[in-house]
Amino acid sequence: MTQMDTESPAVARGTSDPVIEMRGISIAFGGVPALDDVDLRLFPGEVHALMGENGAGKSTMIKALTGVYSIDSGTVVLDGEEQQFSSPAASQAAGISTVYQEINLVPNLTVAENMLLGREPRRRGGIDFKAMNRQAAASLERLGISVDPASELGSHPIAVQQLVAIARGVDVDARVLILDEPTSSLDADEVEMLFSVMRTLRDHGVAIVFVSHFLDQVFEISDRMTVLRNGRLVGEVLTEETTQLEVVRMMIGHELAALERLESASGAGVDRSARPVLKALGLGRKGSLEATDLDVYEGEVVGIAGLLGSGRTELARLLFGADTADHGSLQVEDDRSHLRSPRHAIQRKLAFSSENRRAEGVIEDLTLADNMLLALQARRGWMRPIPAAMRTRLVRQYIEALDIRPPDPNALMRNLSGGNQQKVLLARWLITEPQVLILDEPTRGIDIGAKAQIQQLVADLAQQGVAVVFISAELEEVLRLSDRVVVMRDREKVAERLNDDLTVADVLEIIAGSARQEEPSDA
Amino acid sequence: MPETLTPERQEATASHAGAGPAARLAARLSGSTLVWPVLALAALVVVNLVVHPDFLSVRVQDGDLYGNVIDILRNAAPVLLIGLGMTLVIATRGIDLSVGAVAAIAGAVACVSITGSSHESALSTAVVASSLALATCIALGLWNGFLVAVLGIQPIIATLVLMTAGRGIAMLITGGQITLVHNTHFDFLSSGFVLALPFAILLALALFAITGLLARRTALGMLIEAVGINPEASRLAGVRARTILWTVYAFSGLCAGLAGLMISANTSAADANNNGLWIELDAILAVVIGGTSLAGGRFSLVGTLVGALFIQTLKTTINVIGIPSEMNYLFKAIAVVAVCLLQSPKARALLTVRRRARVGTKAVAA
């Protein structure tokens, strides 16, 4: 992205040079690029937000900077000198300090002991606890954190522990502080506390990298942003010169037309006067989803759009009974009984492919065939194993239909690529012949070819009468496939539109539009 | 029991039987996890043969077989049974520490039931007592399953509860006494012979075969492995993960109960303090030596069988080659560590590199 300078109108706020400049960073894992020619500049005395959806490359970028991953190509320049951080320790020694979401401290030591762990002041061969408490108290005070250094760390709330972790991080002459999702478990007051510490540090000239999914917080605290998408740099902007809508657009993006627009002929055939196959009424769960209504009809693709944390995944999980709803009802055909478990949902011909392929989909040490047949076998019960002939036939049929590679039923699942694993998981559900197929991010993190195949498959299934709930962070994809689009924001359904002349811009506006009061009502 | 083998294991054993060129045989063998325990077992037998050339001899007495090998088989039965249940528990990513205590309880229930009966030496008394003991053990296994599957307590802690409390319960049942019984039918469990072979090992092998058939001919084995590898993915795919956990712990209880009856029958007594003491550790060792990972997932029942035989042979070897009794545990520990190292691909790679380097070929850096 050489045109970056022209894209970002203003350069530094101050007159200073960047403390860190990363140029043309590329990293690939097993041939799949995670970062492709990405730049990042950090100026002293600035809060810099690193933005992007899941899988955009934020954490990879951070790990490249902190020496956790080695860089395939590109340079890291610190104070005008090119650096090669071979390990986290090397980057720490250069003044780059990271505080992760999960706190890496020892809860049963005191605050001061934690802050000075590994560099305790010594006196006559032992630890000088007085000096230690004094030093810790001084550092905490400088940041305006009021905690007794002699108290046990674990006795404080998470927010305070996080502040202590930050204090520890910047105590070692940090010039760059990286905060990865620091606010995800904090309440509003605690966030304010954190922000005031961040402002103090910024005023001391520390460059802060802030990663957060909360747009409001990003706009409140940051001075500058770098937006990534699919491992590429979208651009660098100054916070005061942009809007939430603009940033969301950058994050989600207009995907280049590498994929042809699918014929959405299916839309015409949807009969919404009939009884919906799946009907949710006021379905919700405390702390994860407000009461939500949703009807899904036979042969229809309902797309769900929204940012991460908007409630899109939570809705999918409630529809399938992966989590239990604590209010509202769910009707499958004319059966209104509550879904108690995924097993129960599967018996009602529902299927759900989780966004978290590794943790909630793949059984790594079993074979491709076992993975593919798992849901069917589970429905039959252990006493009725799938006969060998049927097994062979089904596995062969789906390997062929979905073009799974390697086409070896006995290949271990762990040795398949992400795209092929995803296809096996889809096959797992298709084999159960579902009436309703709920797909949460089925195309995330897979190569473009597999992506197109999966999209085509979804369109074909709808044509065959399957009702599909399709969730994706990529709006282009949602609009390409869906007959109807539901937009989620802040754990709530905020709009529902027929997808006739809906554009990405329309949907973006609804997603970002908390400030806009002239929000369009439901279709 | 070749019918219970998965295809790749079948292949390995078939090639072990020895057909085809040596190179292909070696290549196939090195791919199987079963090779090293089998080799270790063979090595132990060789050591014994060197010290006592007649180690393998079997003599016939009153139509029954006697000898070191027969003793090993008979004495291996309890570890074999407990290892069988333990394999399935470990496959679900769990562990059952309570089996020794459960074995003690089985003995206690059976012996107290027999001494309390009006016909102490009757066959029906022995049958009723044994059934009662086994039912108790299944209930105890279900208790473990409840703690793990429903309450979600970590298996090592959940079963530690019964490991600690179990011997106390056995003491309560026996009133703190070593309860002696006089019932030849009960003794038959340990010392009886059927078809010239010890009844105990036949019973253990029969249960082994049935379990193997159930695991590999039905979908049970695959579902157990799925739950062990990824419980959440299995749940979302509709697998009854909870039921499977209950089942394996109950089964482990049943196996421990049967082993406890054999141990008790061996001395015609229930000793709450010493029956089945530390047998859980031998069983876990048998599973590990057999190539089933403590991390759960893929399991090998045949591996456990070999592992149990290895452990029992090791115990016998210690006596046969006259290792001083104070060295017993140390010797056992060294042998076990050696086998486990041999199984680890990393350690084997290291050894291979060394050997190649010594021969003078180019050593390949790892």
Side-chain angles (χ1 to χ4, degrees):
Chain A
M1 285 266 164
T2 42
Q3 74 272 39
M4 190 191 73
D5 283 324
T6 52
E7 263 184 20
S8 60
V11 194
R13 274 206 314 182
T15 51
S16 53
D17 294 325
V19 51
I20 289 223
E21 196 165 0
M22 299 171 79
R23 287 195 213 112
I25 305 293
S26 296
I27 293 182
F29 298 111
V32 183
L35 282 180
D36 186 4
D37 192 24
V38 176
D39 304 336
L40 177 68
R41 305 183 298 165
L42 301 178
F43 293 89
E46 260 192 12
V47 176
H48 190 125
L50 194 53
M51 307 290 292
E53 282 276 271
N54 260 355
K58 291 169 303 190
S59 356
T60 316
M61 197 66 185
I62 288 174
K63 285 177 176 159
L65 177 58
T66 53
V68 177
Y69 294 155
S70 56
I71 296 166
D72 293 343
S73 70
T75 54
V76 178
V77 178
L78 175 74
D79 287 334
E81 269 180 57
E82 193 170 317
Q83 300 278 338
Q84 291 277 351
F85 296 133
S86 51
S87 70
S91 92
Q92 216 158 43
I96 299 171
S97 189
T98 316
V99 176
Y100 291 101
Q101 199 172 349
E102 63 280 15
I103 298 162
N104 297 318
L105 292 180
V106 192
N108 53 2
L109 291 184
T110 69
V111 170
E113 282 164 347
N114 268 293
M115 287 181 61
L116 294 164
L117 199 62
R119 49 200 170 90
E120 299 86 352
R122 293 183 170 270
R123 184 160 156 264
R124 277 189 260 129
I127 292 175
D128 186 348
F129 284 97
K130 269 191 191 157
M132 184 156 82
N133 285 338
R134 219 169 32 239
Q135 281 183 30
S139 317
L140 289 169
E141 203 189 312
R142 215 166 35 238
L143 296 177
I145 307 169
S146 51
V147 185
D148 176 9
S151 58
E152 197 174 289
L153 182 78
S155 68
H156 297 291
I158 296 289
V160 173
Q161 296 189 29
Q162 203 144 37
L163 293 179
V164 172
I166 292 173
R168 173 186 159 80
V170 297
D171 220 24
V172 209
D173 289 326
R175 320 213 12 232
V176 177
L177 175 66
I178 300 168
L179 300 174
D180 190 359
E181 292 281 0
T183 58
S184 53
S185 49
L186 307 188
D187 65 29
D189 290 346
E190 292 170 335
V191 170
E192 259 330 298
M193 208 152 78
L194 173 72
F195 281 1
S196 95
V197 169
M198 284 170 69
R199 288 191 186 103
T200 310
L201 283 168
R202 180 184 64 190
D203 297 343
H204 281 82
V206 177
I208 300 175
V209 178
F210 180 63
V211 179
S212 172
H213 281 116
F214 300 98
L215 272 184
D216 289 343
Q217 292 178 5
V218 169
F219 272 81
E220 182 185 341
I221 190 76
S222 75
D223 303 299
R224 187 188 295 271
M225 305 181 190
T226 291
V227 184
L228 305 180
R229 185 174 69 235
N230 292 337
R232 291 167 187 272
L233 177 69
V234 183
E236 189 204 68
V237 289
L238 289 177
T239 307
E240 56 189 20
E241 291 173 3
T242 187
T243 61
Q244 296 207 8
L245 177 61
E246 180 59 34
V247 171
V248 170
R249 186 173 289 151
M250 288 168 80
M251 281 162 65
I252 295 178
H254 301 256
E255 191 178 283
L256 297 171
L259 300 162
E260 293 166 45
R261 193 181 173 86
L262 291 164
E263 294 301 318
S264 58
S266 60
V270 178
D271 177 12
R272 293 198 184 80
S273 60
R275 195 209 303 274
V277 193
L278 185 71
K279 184 180 183 64
L281 257 180
L283 194 70
R285 180 182 161 94
K286 210 164 170 284
S288 77
L289 188 73
E290 299 294 326
T292 302
D293 297 342
L294 183 72
D295 290 345
V296 186
Y297 297 88
E298 192 181 312
E300 184 187 35
V301 180
V302 176
I304 299 188
L307 292 178
L308 198 83
S310 61
R312 58 186 199 209
T313 293
E314 289 77 0
L315 175 60
R317 291 181 65 90
L318 288 182
L319 288 178
F320 185 65
D323 295 325
T324 43
D326 47 29
H327 47 268
S329 72
L330 187 70
Q331 189 171 329
V332 184
E333 294 241 280
D334 37 15
D335 181 356
R336 294 198 67 153
S337 57
H338 255 280
L339 287 182
R340 294 180 304 266
S341 64
R343 183 177 175 77
H344 195 200
I346 291 165
Q347 279 161 0
R348 276 155 192 70
K349 303 215 126 201
L350 263 59
F352 167 61
S353 162
S354 161
E355 59 166 348
N356 200 338
R357 198 160 54 223
R358 263 187 86 107
E360 298 179 351
V362 167
I363 316 269
E364 286 196 324
D365 286 329
L366 288 188
T367 61
L368 186 160
D370 281 340
N371 267 281
M372 205 184 259
L373 297 168
L374 185 63
L376 179 65
Q377 183 62 68
R379 192 169 69 189
R380 293 169 65 101
W382 64 268
M383 274 180 290
R384 295 201 302 135
I386 301 168
M390 179 176 166
R391 209 180 139 87
T392 317
R393 179 175 58 76
L394 281 173
V395 172
R396 195 172 292 158
Q397 177 191 336
Y398 279 93
I399 284 181
E400 209 164 289
L402 302 186
D403 187 27
I404 294 170
R405 312 233 173 124
D408 171 14
N410 294 318
L412 276 191
M413 195 66 167
R414 63 159 69 250
N415 296 333
L416 268 59
S417 73
N420 282 303
Q421 286 183 350
Q422 186 68 55
K423 287 181 190 171
V424 172
L425 295 182
L426 285 176
R428 176 190 288 174
W429 292 116
L430 297 183
I431 286 175
T432 66
E433 297 179 345
Q435 243 179 349
V436 182
L437 181 59
I438 304 163
L439 301 173
D440 193 358
E441 295 270 22
T443 63
R444 180 203 288 167
I446 66 181
D447 64 84
I448 197 120
K451 205 168 186 166
Q453 286 172 329
I454 287 174
Q455 291 178 356
Q456 186 61 53
L457 179 73
V458 169
D460 292 348
L461 286 168
Q463 207 121 58
Q464 291 158 27
V466 179
V468 182
V469 176
F470 187 87
I471 303 174
S472 172
E474 287 179 37
L475 290 184
E476 292 272 339
E477 187 180 58
V478 171
L479 289 177
R480 191 179 306 130
L481 286 169
S482 310
D483 302 305
R484 206 147 41 96
V485 176
V486 168
V487 183
M488 309 285 297
R489 189 180 63 223
D490 296 335
R491 295 170 181 165
E492 231 180 317
K493 177 170 121 178
V494 291
E496 182 176 329
R497 295 282 195 81
L498 280 179
N499 184 17
D500 31 28
D501 53 357
L502 210 56
T503 65
V504 170
D506 297 339
V507 180
L508 279 177
E509 202 154 304
I510 306 173
I511 290 177
S514 56
R516 293 160 190 268
Q517 288 311 308
E518 73 282 3
E519 180 183 297
S521 57
D522 290 5
Chain B
M1 31 181 190
E3 67 276 21
T4 67
L5 295 168
T6 56
E8 63 267 33
R9 284 163 199 156
Q10 237 164 11
E11 191 180 58
T13 346
S15 55
H16 187 55
R24 212 165 61 204
L25 182 74
R28 273 195 191 171
L29 279 180
S30 60
S32 163
T33 47
L34 220 53
V35 192
W36 298 101
V38 168
L39 283 182
L41 184 57
L44 271 187
V45 173
V46 170
V47 168
N48 280 298
L49 278 175
V50 170
V51 180
H52 286 284
D54 59 348
F55 177 73
L56 285 178
S57 68
V58 172
R59 63 185 192 285
V60 183
Q61 191 177 319
D62 301 334
D64 298 329
L65 299 174
Y66 288 90
N68 283 322
V69 179
I70 304 299
D71 283 346
I72 289 175
L73 286 177
R74 192 178 57 157
N75 294 333
V79 176
L80 196 58
L81 280 172
I82 291 183
L84 177 64
M86 190 72 76
T87 308
L88 298 188
V89 169
I90 285 178
T92 64
R93 229 188 244 189
I95 199 152
D96 188 350
L97 295 181
S98 71
V99 285
V102 171
I105 292 175
V109 169
C111 291
V112 167
S113 164
I114 290 172
T115 52
S117 156
S118 45
H119 307 284
E120 204 188 316
S121 56
L123 171 64
S124 61
T125 308
V127 171
V128 168
S130 300
S131 310
L132 192 64
L134 292 180
T136 309
C137 293
I138 291 175
L140 291 171
L142 287 172
W143 161 255
N144 282 332
F146 170 74
L147 293 182
V148 174
V150 180
L151 299 188
I153 301 176
Q154 284 183 359
I156 195 166
I157 301 300
T159 57
L160 192 60
V161 172
L162 195 52
M163 179 188 183
T164 323
R167 292 198 181 271
I169 296 171
M171 292 259 253
L172 285 176
I173 295 170
T174 58
Q177 307 293 317
I178 294 180
T179 311
L180 291 167
V181 293
H182 306 282
N183 184 319
T184 49
H185 304 292
F186 184 63
D187 294 350
F188 189 81
L189 267 175
S190 162
S191 52
F193 279 84
V194 171
L195 302 172
L197 284 169
F199 178 62
I201 190 67
L202 291 178
L203 187 60
L205 287 178
L207 192 62
F208 227 86
I210 292 169
T211 310
L213 277 176
L214 269 181
R216 297 300 179 199
R217 287 285 151 149
T218 72
L220 188 62
M222 193 269 280
L223 293 178
I224 287 175
E225 288 179 340
V227 169
I229 297 165
N230 193 338
E232 182 59 12
S234 306
R235 185 182 78 96
L236 288 178
V239 179
R240 287 181 201 263
R242 251 185 209 185
T243 314
I244 284 185
L245 288 179
W246 282 84
T247 310
V248 294
Y249 281 95
F251 181 67
S252 178
L254 172 70
C255 289
L258 206 48
L261 291 180
M262 287 176 182
I263 295 167
S264 192
N266 197 28
T267 53
S268 303
D271 180 346
N273 282 320
N274 295 308
N275 277 9
L277 193 62
W278 306 130
I279 200 165
E280 60 276 352
L281 300 184
D282 279 346
I284 293 169
L285 272 179
V287 175
V288 172
I289 289 174
T292 300
S293 160
L294 284 179
R298 305 301 288 252
F299 63 88
S300 163
L301 290 178
V302 182
T304 300
L305 176 72
V306 177
L309 289 177
F310 174 81
I311 285 177
Q312 193 55 48
T313 311
L314 188 60
K315 280 184 188 164
T316 309
T317 309
I318 289 168
N319 295 331
V320 168
I321 65 178
I323 288 174
S325 59
E326 58 268 30
M327 294 271 290
N328 271 0
Y329 289 109
L330 195 59
F331 183 80
K332 191 171 155 192
I334 292 171
V336 167
V337 168
V339 175
C340 290
L341 277 180
L342 277 177
Q343 276 185 299
S344 139
K346 238 184 206 168
R348 274 210 309 273
L350 256 173
L351 279 176
T352 323
V353 170
R354 284 262 173 82
R355 208 171 48 217
R356 275 194 200 146
R358 217 171 290 157
V359 176
T361 341
K362 250 189 199 171
V364 186

mmCIF file of all heavy atoms in Angstrom, chain A residues 188-213:
data_model
loop_
_atom_site.group_PDB
_atom_site.id
_atom_site.type_symbol
_atom_site.label_atom_id
_atom_site.label_comp_id
_atom_site.label_asym_id
_atom_site.label_seq_id
_atom_site.Cartn_x
_atom_site.Cartn_y
_atom_site.Cartn_z
ATOM 1 N N ALA A 188 -18.643 0.111 32.868
ATOM 2 C CA ALA A 188 -18.416 1.474 32.368
ATOM 3 C C ALA A 188 -17.452 2.284 33.250
ATOM 4 O O ALA A 188 -16.544 2.955 32.739
ATOM 5 C CB ALA A 188 -19.746 2.204 32.244
ATOM 6 N N ASP A 189 -17.631 2.208 34.571
ATOM 7 C CA ASP A 189 -16.742 2.962 35.472
ATOM 8 C C ASP A 189 -15.302 2.493 35.340
ATOM 9 O O ASP A 189 -14.368 3.289 35.341
ATOM 10 C CB ASP A 189 -17.189 2.759 36.933
ATOM 11 C CG ASP A 189 -18.501 3.464 37.197
ATOM 12 O OD1 ASP A 189 -18.891 4.297 36.346
ATOM 13 O OD2 ASP A 189 -19.121 3.181 38.235
ATOM 14 N N GLU A 190 -15.167 1.175 35.232
ATOM 15 C CA GLU A 190 -13.823 0.617 35.142
ATOM 16 C C GLU A 190 -13.156 1.027 33.837
ATOM 17 O O GLU A 190 -11.951 1.272 33.798
ATOM 18 C CB GLU A 190 -13.900 -0.909 35.265
ATOM 19 C CG GLU A 190 -14.325 -1.345 36.651
ATOM 20 C CD GLU A 190 -14.634 -2.831 36.732
ATOM 21 O OE1 GLU A 190 -14.980 -3.440 35.705
ATOM 22 O OE2 GLU A 190 -14.537 -3.379 37.835
ATOM 23 N N VAL A 191 -13.942 1.102 32.776
ATOM 24 C CA VAL A 191 -13.396 1.554 31.500
ATOM 25 C C VAL A 191 -12.883 2.989 31.651
ATOM 26 O O VAL A 191 -11.791 3.326 31.192
ATOM 27 C CB VAL A 191 -14.463 1.466 30.384
ATOM 28 C CG1 VAL A 191 -13.976 2.163 29.129
ATOM 29 C CG2 VAL A 191 -14.792 0.015 30.080
ATOM 30 N N GLU A 192 -13.656 3.834 32.336
ATOM 31 C CA GLU A 192 -13.229 5.225 32.554
ATOM 32 C C GLU A 192 -11.889 5.262 33.302
ATOM 33 O O GLU A 192 -10.991 6.035 32.987
ATOM 34 C CB GLU A 192 -14.292 6.002 33.337
ATOM 35 C CG GLU A 192 -15.169 6.896 32.485
ATOM 36 C CD GLU A 192 -14.474 7.447 31.229
ATOM 37 O OE1 GLU A 192 -13.472 8.186 31.389
ATOM 38 O OE2 GLU A 192 -14.905 7.128 30.107
ATOM 39 N N MET A 193 -11.789 4.380 34.327
ATOM 40 C CA MET A 193 -10.570 4.297 35.125
ATOM 41 C C MET A 193 -9.384 3.948 34.213
ATOM 42 O O MET A 193 -8.331 4.568 34.275
ATOM 43 C CB MET A 193 -10.758 3.189 36.170
ATOM 44 C CG MET A 193 -9.987 3.339 37.433
ATOM 45 S SD MET A 193 -10.878 2.516 38.780
ATOM 46 C CE MET A 193 -10.495 0.819 38.496
ATOM 47 N N LEU A 194 -9.614 2.964 33.355
ATOM 48 C CA LEU A 194 -8.563 2.533 32.433
ATOM 49 C C LEU A 194 -8.197 3.666 31.485
ATOM 50 O O LEU A 194 -7.013 3.938 31.247
ATOM 51 C CB LEU A 194 -9.046 1.312 31.645
ATOM 52 C CG LEU A 194 -8.122 0.840 30.524
ATOM 53 C CD1 LEU A 194 -6.887 0.181 31.106
ATOM 54 C CD2 LEU A 194 -8.837 -0.131 29.598
ATOM 55 N N PHE A 195 -9.215 4.345 30.965
ATOM 56 C CA PHE A 195 -8.955 5.418 30.017
ATOM 57 C C PHE A 195 -8.152 6.547 30.660
ATOM 58 O O PHE A 195 -7.300 7.156 30.020
ATOM 59 C CB PHE A 195 -10.272 5.963 29.445
ATOM 60 C CG PHE A 195 -10.844 5.082 28.369
ATOM 61 C CD1 PHE A 195 -10.204 3.904 28.008
ATOM 62 C CD2 PHE A 195 -12.018 5.429 27.703
ATOM 63 C CE1 PHE A 195 -10.725 3.093 27.013
ATOM 64 C CE2 PHE A 195 -12.529 4.620 26.704
ATOM 65 C CZ PHE A 195 -11.897 3.445 26.367
ATOM 66 N N SER A 196 -8.435 6.831 31.927
ATOM 67 C CA SER A 196 -7.698 7.933 32.556
ATOM 68 C C SER A 196 -6.222 7.540 32.711
ATOM 69 O O SER A 196 -5.332 8.366 32.520
ATOM 70 C CB SER A 196 -8.359 8.345 33.874
ATOM 71 O OG SER A 196 -7.768 7.700 34.945
ATOM 72 N N VAL A 197 -5.979 6.270 33.012
ATOM 73 C CA VAL A 197 -4.583 5.813 33.075
ATOM 74 C C VAL A 197 -3.945 5.895 31.691
ATOM 75 O O VAL A 197 -2.794 6.318 31.529
ATOM 76 C CB VAL A 197 -4.507 4.370 33.628
ATOM 77 C CG1 VAL A 197 -3.115 3.800 33.445
ATOM 78 C CG2 VAL A 197 -4.900 4.351 35.089
ATOM 79 N N MET A 198 -4.712 5.508 30.666
ATOM 80 C CA MET A 198 -4.176 5.569 29.307
ATOM 81 C C MET A 198 -3.834 7.003 28.919
ATOM 82 O O MET A 198 -2.799 7.263 28.288
ATOM 83 C CB MET A 198 -5.189 4.982 28.306
ATOM 84 C CG MET A 198 -5.245 3.458 28.316
ATOM 85 S SD MET A 198 -6.618 2.784 27.357
ATOM 86 C CE MET A 198 -6.114 3.202 25.694
ATOM 87 N N ARG A 199 -4.698 7.936 29.334
ATOM 88 C CA ARG A 199 -4.424 9.344 28.979
ATOM 89 C C ARG A 199 -3.161 9.835 29.684
ATOM 90 O O ARG A 199 -2.350 10.553 29.094
ATOM 91 C CB ARG A 199 -5.624 10.219 29.351
ATOM 92 C CG ARG A 199 -6.803 9.979 28.430
ATOM 93 C CD ARG A 199 -7.903 11.020 28.612
ATOM 94 N NE ARG A 199 -9.053 10.628 27.804
ATOM 95 C CZ ARG A 199 -10.155 10.067 28.302
ATOM 96 N NH1 ARG A 199 -10.281 9.879 29.615
ATOM 97 N NH2 ARG A 199 -11.137 9.717 27.516
ATOM 98 N N THR A 200 -3.008 9.434 30.956
ATOM 99 C CA THR A 200 -1.798 9.827 31.683
ATOM 100 C C THR A 200 -0.554 9.339 30.966
ATOM 101 O O THR A 200 0.407 10.075 30.756
ATOM 102 C CB THR A 200 -1.820 9.225 33.107
ATOM 103 O OG1 THR A 200 -3.080 9.522 33.702
ATOM 104 C CG2 THR A 200 -0.701 9.771 33.961
ATOM 105 N N LEU A 201 -0.609 8.060 30.557
ATOM 106 C CA LEU A 201 0.545 7.487 29.871
ATOM 107 C C LEU A 201 0.807 8.200 28.552
ATOM 108 O O LEU A 201 1.947 8.487 28.195
ATOM 109 C CB LEU A 201 0.301 5.996 29.600
ATOM 110 C CG LEU A 201 0.475 5.079 30.799
ATOM 111 C CD1 LEU A 201 -0.066 3.700 30.494
ATOM 112 C CD2 LEU A 201 1.959 5.001 31.171
ATOM 113 N N ARG A 202 -0.273 8.496 27.846
ATOM 114 C CA ARG A 202 -0.135 9.169 26.561
ATOM 115 C C ARG A 202 0.546 10.525 26.766
ATOM 116 O O ARG A 202 1.443 10.910 26.024
ATOM 117 C CB ARG A 202 -1.519 9.361 25.945
ATOM 118 C CG ARG A 202 -1.488 10.057 24.604
ATOM 119 C CD ARG A 202 -2.881 10.294 24.099
ATOM 120 N NE ARG A 202 -3.606 11.203 24.979
ATOM 121 C CZ ARG A 202 -4.912 11.444 24.885
ATOM 122 N NH1 ARG A 202 -5.632 10.826 23.994
ATOM 123 N NH2 ARG A 202 -5.493 12.290 25.709
ATOM 124 N N ASP A 203 0.132 11.219 27.823
ATOM 125 C CA ASP A 203 0.723 12.530 28.085
ATOM 126 C C ASP A 203 2.184 12.426 28.490
ATOM 127 O O ASP A 203 2.934 13.388 28.393
ATOM 128 C CB ASP A 203 -0.086 13.268 29.164
ATOM 129 C CG ASP A 203 -1.509 13.540 28.681
ATOM 130 O OD1 ASP A 203 -1.724 13.458 27.449
ATOM 131 O OD2 ASP A 203 -2.389 13.807 29.519
ATOM 132 N N HIS A 204 2.587 11.236 28.953
ATOM 133 C CA HIS A 204 4.000 11.017 29.244
ATOM 134 C C HIS A 204 4.769 10.610 27.991
ATOM 135 O O HIS A 204 5.928 10.227 28.079
ATOM 136 C CB HIS A 204 4.178 9.925 30.305
ATOM 137 C CG HIS A 204 3.935 10.425 31.706
ATOM 138 N ND1 HIS A 204 2.685 10.544 32.255
ATOM 139 C CD2 HIS A 204 4.799 10.838 32.667
ATOM 140 C CE1 HIS A 204 2.768 10.998 33.487
ATOM 141 N NE2 HIS A 204 4.057 11.188 33.772
ATOM 142 N N GLY A 205 4.098 10.576 26.855
ATOM 143 C CA GLY A 205 4.811 10.290 25.617
ATOM 144 C C GLY A 205 4.824 8.846 25.196
ATOM 145 O O GLY A 205 5.539 8.464 24.264
ATOM 146 N N VAL A 206 4.027 7.992 25.884
ATOM 147 C CA VAL A 206 3.992 6.585 25.489
ATOM 148 C C VAL A 206 3.071 6.422 24.272
ATOM 149 O O VAL A 206 2.034 7.078 24.184
ATOM 150 C CB VAL A 206 3.468 5.710 26.654
ATOM 151 C CG1 VAL A 206 3.356 4.249 26.233
ATOM 152 C CG2 VAL A 206 4.370 5.859 27.866
ATOM 153 N N ALA A 207 3.482 5.599 23.333
ATOM 154 C CA ALA A 207 2.619 5.266 22.208
ATOM 155 C C ALA A 207 1.788 4.054 22.587
ATOM 156 O O ALA A 207 2.343 3.033 22.987
ATOM 157 C CB ALA A 207 3.451 4.950 20.965
ATOM 158 N N ILE A 208 0.465 4.170 22.506
ATOM 159 C CA ILE A 208 -0.405 3.085 22.954
ATOM 160 C C ILE A 208 -1.153 2.482 21.772
ATOM 161 O O ILE A 208 -1.780 3.198 20.993
ATOM 162 C CB ILE A 208 -1.423 3.590 24.003
ATOM 163 C CG1 ILE A 208 -0.680 4.163 25.218
ATOM 164 C CG2 ILE A 208 -2.358 2.465 24.426
ATOM 165 C CD1 ILE A 208 -1.588 4.781 26.247
ATOM 166 N N VAL A 209 -1.062 1.143 21.642
ATOM 167 C CA VAL A 209 -1.864 0.450 20.641
ATOM 168 C C VAL A 209 -3.083 -0.116 21.354
ATOM 169 O O VAL A 209 -2.956 -0.821 22.350
ATOM 170 C CB VAL A 209 -1.078 -0.703 19.990
ATOM 171 C CG1 VAL A 209 -1.958 -1.431 18.983
ATOM 172 C CG2 VAL A 209 0.170 -0.178 19.321
ATOM 173 N N PHE A 210 -4.258 0.237 20.862
ATOM 174 C CA PHE A 210 -5.488 -0.147 21.523
ATOM 175 C C PHE A 210 -6.314 -1.015 20.574
ATOM 176 O O PHE A 210 -6.646 -0.594 19.470
ATOM 177 C CB PHE A 210 -6.249 1.125 21.908
ATOM 178 C CG PHE A 210 -7.552 0.903 22.618
ATOM 179 C CD1 PHE A 210 -7.587 0.288 23.864
ATOM 180 C CD2 PHE A 210 -8.748 1.321 22.058
ATOM 181 C CE1 PHE A 210 -8.791 0.102 24.527
ATOM 182 C CE2 PHE A 210 -9.959 1.130 22.717
ATOM 183 C CZ PHE A 210 -9.971 0.529 23.957
ATOM 184 N N VAL A 211 -6.604 -2.248 21.011
ATOM 185 C CA VAL A 211 -7.446 -3.117 20.192
ATOM 186 C C VAL A 211 -8.751 -3.328 20.929
ATOM 187 O O VAL A 211 -8.749 -3.727 22.093
ATOM 188 C CB VAL A 211 -6.767 -4.485 19.958
ATOM 189 C CG1 VAL A 211 -7.672 -5.389 19.132
ATOM 190 C CG2 VAL A 211 -5.434 -4.302 19.271
ATOM 191 N N SER A 212 -9.867 -3.023 20.277
ATOM 192 C CA SER A 212 -11.150 -3.207 20.933
ATOM 193 C C SER A 212 -12.243 -3.374 19.897
ATOM 194 O O SER A 212 -12.158 -2.826 18.798
ATOM 195 C CB SER A 212 -11.471 -2.016 21.825
ATOM 196 O OG SER A 212 -12.790 -2.128 22.298
ATOM 197 N N HIS A 213 -13.268 -4.135 20.257
ATOM 198 C CA HIS A 213 -14.408 -4.291 19.353
ATOM 199 C C HIS A 213 -15.468 -3.234 19.608
ATOM 200 O O HIS A 213 -16.459 -3.181 18.900
ATOM 201 C CB HIS A 213 -15.014 -5.685 19.506
ATOM 202 C CG HIS A 213 -14.237 -6.725 18.790
ATOM 203 N ND1 HIS A 213 -13.600 -7.742 19.421
ATOM 204 C CD2 HIS A 213 -13.957 -6.853 17.474
ATOM 205 C CE1 HIS A 213 -12.968 -8.475 18.533
ATOM 206 N NE2 HIS A 213 -13.168 -7.960 17.350
#
